[in-house]
Amino acid sequence: MTTYRAEIQITLKPSVLDPAGTAITKGLQQQQYAGVQQVRIGKYIELILTAADAATAHAQVERLCQEVLTNPVIETYRFRLEAGE
Amino acid sequence: MKCGIVVFPGSNCDRDVAWVTEHLLGLPTRFIWHEETDLGALDLVILPGGFSYGDYLRCGVLARFSPVMQAVVRHAQQGKWVLGVCNGFQILTEVGLLPGTLMRNRELRFICDTVPVRVERHDLPWTCQYQVGQRLMLPIAHGEGCYYADPDVLRELEQQRQVVFRYLPPNPNGSLADIAGICNRQGNVLGMMPHPERASDSDLGNTDGLGLFQGLVAWYAKNAMPNPGL
């Protein structure tokens, strides 16, 4: 078994209004950061797991994301997987 | 009519609900620790408000993995009554007994208030003591109560008349279609953000929520068993 480390990023789907992101966008634009076009807030999760190989680890993280870590009604995700802690 | 109130780590409205079912209405009521797997012969299971598992990850998501939830899903599948209030509503959407989800309030603030809510239908056990269009003043207390669902799901909710309660203007939290409470298609599972149990004891100055529990008692007396009759 090999140990893998997954770095998962979760954000609201583009079609879902992100009120926190919108508030920050407006705040930044009112300061000296006029070039800021959009801010989206999300979650970042680090996960260590063991699996037989990278493909199995990938499938496990995929399943975890779909079934638990995200709510498919409003959220989307992407992740990076690498061997070692 | 036997009532069970599920207690998760972080539930905090369980005793308020028991005060209504047991003390005010005299119904046999027991608390169900979330590790239990057998509900016994309950007619009504209530998932109370609170902050189960500290609202970590997402409100209600971790409660889904409590052993008791499989029994609650079976209970619902048998057509028996399940009521989720506030965090209980969030849990019902996470476990898939109700569609959609509850997002962060539009204004990003936790809201603790008493707001006007409209009864949308009264052919359900939950609302048979109310009139369609009746205005109830009900307490709300939530940070994530903004109902959201895809347009297709929203359309289906309206077509199947699953919206049971709607906020009257001004919509406090940004819920789509002003949704404050919905039921499943069969009508035996109800989720709502307002707290009827906090508006049931006349000593607290508001009994607008008591009719919901009285409706169940009346329905049960007439039909002998929970049956939405739809």
Side-chain angles (χ1 to χ4, degrees), chain B residues 191-210:
Chain B
M192 59 193 294
M193 291 312 294
H195 287 267
E197 80 281 6
R198 294 189 189 177
S200 290
D201 190 330
S202 55
D203 284 351
L204 297 177
N206 178 1
T207 56
D208 282 7
L210 186 61

Side-chain angles (χ1 to χ4, degrees), chain B residues 40-219:
Chain B
L42 294 176
D43 303 295
L44 166 65
V45 170
I46 299 165
L47 308 183
F51 301 84
S52 58
Y53 295 89
D55 278 352
Y56 299 148
L57 189 60
R58 287 190 308 278
C59 303
V61 65
L62 297 177
R64 188 172 103 197
F65 301 108
S66 280
V68 75
M69 284 312 295
Q70 288 181 19
V72 172
V73 169
R74 276 198 304 276
H75 179 88
Q77 286 167 345
Q78 290 164 3
K80 299 183 195 174
W81 294 329
V82 178
L83 169 64
V85 175
C86 201
N87 187 226
F89 184 12
Q90 295 163 341
I91 294 168
L92 288 176
T93 62
E94 283 288 349
V95 82
L97 284 174
L98 292 174
T101 191
L102 283 312
M103 293 181 59
R104 193 106 183 262
N105 293 340
R106 181 184 45 199
E107 307 296 335
L108 302 173
R109 282 195 301 267
F110 189 97
I111 307 168
C112 186
D113 202 355
T114 298
V115 298
V117 170
R118 183 181 191 273
V119 178
E120 291 293 303
R121 54 186 290 192
H122 75 157
D123 56 341
L124 293 167
W126 314 103
T127 51
C128 63
Q129 299 290 296
Y130 298 123
Q131 298 303 314
V132 173
Q134 190 172 340
R135 178 179 179 272
L136 308 175
M137 290 301 292
L138 293 177
I140 55 171
H142 57 246
E144 285 87 2
C146 173
Y147 185 81
Y148 180 89
D150 295 335
D152 290 349
V153 173
L154 274 179
R155 207 172 302 122
E156 198 179 310
L157 280 176
E158 299 288 359
Q159 278 169 0
Q160 300 292 330
R161 300 173 57 242
Q162 286 172 249
V163 180
V164 182
F165 299 107
R166 259 186 248 271
Y167 298 112
L168 285 162
N171 180 328
N173 55 24
S175 277
L176 293 183
D178 302 322
I179 285 173
I182 57 168
C183 64
N184 62 347
R185 202 177 279 196
Q186 295 76 22
N188 63 308
V189 178
L190 173 70
M192 59 193 294
M193 291 312 294
H195 287 267
E197 80 281 6
R198 294 189 189 177
S200 290
D201 190 330
S202 55
D203 284 351
L204 297 177
N206 178 1
T207 56
D208 282 7
L210 186 61
L212 185 143
F213 299 98
Q214 288 172 326
L216 296 176
V217 173
W219 194 283

Side-chain angles (χ1 to χ4, degrees), chain B residues 1-3 21 27-29 43-44 81 213 216-218 220 226:
Chain B
M1 182 180 136
K2 296 195 183 80
C3 308
T21 58
L27 302 169
T29 299
D43 303 295
L44 166 65
W81 294 329
F213 299 98
L216 296 176
V217 173
Y220 187 83

